[in-house]
């Protein structure tokens, strides 16, 4: 790190769990954020501010007025622009030293196949069940840790699925791809504005833990946040041996930088 970086990240360097070595890992890290809406708007700025060297934003959508109630990465000047371009501009305003890739596409198997071999951690900040299944399967196949968040009305949920860990369940262990779920989203159900900020910031924190390698990420645990009652619950999760994605599969270890 140069002198400017030592000063910028000095509060991280004071933490024994991070120090110079951990910060250098962040500067060399490559993170994929799928969804530049409410969750992505909270997660991405913290990752950029923390010094994650390369951030790729994927989202096909444009900024609308209804987004501004909670999607703080976008402003009134962003209306009508692509969310990824708006997000890129915002993140570079926070930290101009980073590399930010903006991909205005829906997350697909083909796109993820091209991106994941060079990615260290994925953040699923989407609100679509089918897309979540595609992301989960791709992350398991490429052995890339997945930080999954969701938020609706007053309820938030956070998981970490790490295919490098033989005991870690995947998203399909919880919600089978064969099950039929009624799609619900904030456009029809509503959402409490700070909720996406809370869950998105937690996603960023989990990603940083995975990248640096400290603490106990939420592998095998589901965190539930109820903003109505200000209540946090945790549910223990186990791998489903009959899971269509990860059941009875071998999971070789992958280390960052390899």
């Amino acid at each position: 790190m140069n002198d400017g970086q030592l000063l910028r990240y000095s509060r991280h360097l004071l933490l024994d769990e991070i120090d110079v070595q951990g910060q250098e890992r962040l500067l060399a890290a490559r993170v994929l954020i799928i969804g530049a809406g409410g969750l992505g708007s909270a997660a991405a700025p913290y990752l950029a501010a923390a010094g994650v060297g390369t951030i790729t934003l994927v989202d096909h959508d444009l900024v609308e007025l209804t987004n501004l109630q909670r999607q703080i990465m976008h402003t009134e000047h962003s209306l009508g622009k692509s969310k990824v371009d708006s997000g890129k501009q915002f993140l570079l305003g926070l930290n101009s030293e980073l590399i930010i890739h903006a991909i205005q596409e829906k997350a697909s198997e083909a796109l993820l196949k091209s991106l994941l071999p060079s990615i260290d951690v994925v953040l699923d900040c989407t609100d679509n069940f089918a897309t979540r299944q595609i992301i989960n399967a791709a992350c398991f196949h490429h052995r890339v840790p997945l930080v999954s968040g969701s938020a609706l009305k007053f309820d938030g949920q956070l998981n970490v699925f790490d295919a490098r860990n033989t005991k870690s369940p995947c998203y399909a262990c919880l919600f089978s791809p064969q099950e039929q779920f009624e799609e619900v989203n904030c456009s029809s159900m509503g959402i409490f504005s700070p909720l996406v900020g809370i869950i998105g910031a937690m996603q960023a924190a989990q990603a940083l833990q995975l990248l640096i390698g400290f603490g106990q990420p939420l592998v095998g645990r589901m965190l539930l946040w109820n903003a109505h009652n200000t209540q946090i619950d945790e549910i223990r999760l186990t791998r489903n041996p009959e899971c269509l994605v990860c059941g009875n599969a071998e999971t070789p270890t992958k280390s960052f930088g390899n």
Side-chain angles (χ1 to χ4, degrees):
M1 287 186 287
N2 58 40
D3 290 344
Q5 290 172 323
L6 289 170
L7 181 61
R8 177 188 283 266
Y9 305 117
S10 59
R11 300 305 187 268
H12 264 180
L13 305 184
L14 293 172
L15 299 172
D16 291 338
E17 293 85 352
I18 301 179
D19 206 346
V20 173
Q21 184 178 16
Q23 188 60 51
E24 288 180 339
R25 288 180 181 176
L26 295 183
L27 292 169
R30 301 150 299 181
V31 171
L32 171 62
I33 301 175
I34 305 174
L39 297 172
S41 283
Y46 274 108
L47 294 176
V52 172
T54 302
I55 298 174
T56 300
L57 299 175
V58 171
D59 197 309
H60 68 286
D61 215 350
L62 305 178
V63 180
E64 300 178 357
L65 186 60
T66 56
N67 301 148
L68 303 187
Q69 170 253 10
R70 65 203 176 280
Q71 299 182 16
I72 60 171
M73 198 160 56
H74 313 301
T75 69
E76 293 179 356
H77 297 292
S78 304
L79 292 174
K81 296 181 180 179
S82 71
K83 288 185 178 180
V84 291
D85 287 338
S86 171
K88 178 178 180 177
Q89 182 178 3
F90 184 91
L91 297 180
L92 289 176
L94 282 177
N95 194 338
S96 61
E97 296 182 346
L98 307 183
I99 298 172
I100 310 294
H101 299 297
I103 301 177
Q104 190 180 0
E105 293 183 32
K106 286 187 176 181
S108 64
E109 292 182 14
L111 178 62
L112 294 175
K113 183 178 180 180
S114 68
L115 293 176
L116 288 187
S118 63
I119 295 296
D120 296 317
V121 172
V122 173
L123 278 70
D124 181 350
C125 299
T126 66
D127 60 0
N128 179 278
F129 178 72
T131 302
R132 288 181 178 276
Q133 294 288 355
I134 291 172
I135 295 169
N136 174 73
C139 286
F140 179 79
H141 176 75
H142 290 278
R143 307 295 187 257
V144 179
L146 171 62
V147 182
S148 177
S150 63
L152 187 67
K153 298 179 72 173
F154 291 94
D155 295 304
Q157 177 179 307
L158 182 67
N159 297 93
V160 173
F161 306 112
D162 191 347
R164 303 169 304 174
N165 184 334
T166 57
K167 295 183 179 180
S168 173
C170 74
Y171 182 80
C173 289
L174 281 65
F175 307 103
S176 172
Q178 292 182 328
E179 293 186 37
Q180 297 295 320
F181 289 93
E182 181 182 356
E183 290 285 1
V184 291
N185 52 55
C186 58
S187 63
S188 58
M189 301 293 290
I191 190 165
F192 183 48
S193 175
L195 178 63
V196 292
I198 293 168
I199 301 300
M202 287 183 177
Q203 286 184 267
Q206 292 294 302
L208 293 177
Q209 281 187 262
L210 290 164
L211 292 167
I212 297 169
F214 73 89
Q216 296 180 341
L218 279 169
V219 177
R221 296 180 289 156
M222 177 191 293
L223 187 144
L224 303 173
W225 172 279
N226 184 297
H228 194 277
N229 300 323
T230 316
Q231 180 174 329
I232 300 176
D233 294 302
E234 184 180 290
I235 300 174
R236 293 282 177 174
L237 306 172
T238 57
R239 194 168 191 169
N240 178 7
E242 298 181 359
C243 175
L244 297 176
V245 175
C246 72
N248 297 318
E250 296 181 0
T251 53
T253 300
K254 172 184 175 181
S255 299
F256 291 121
N258 291 348

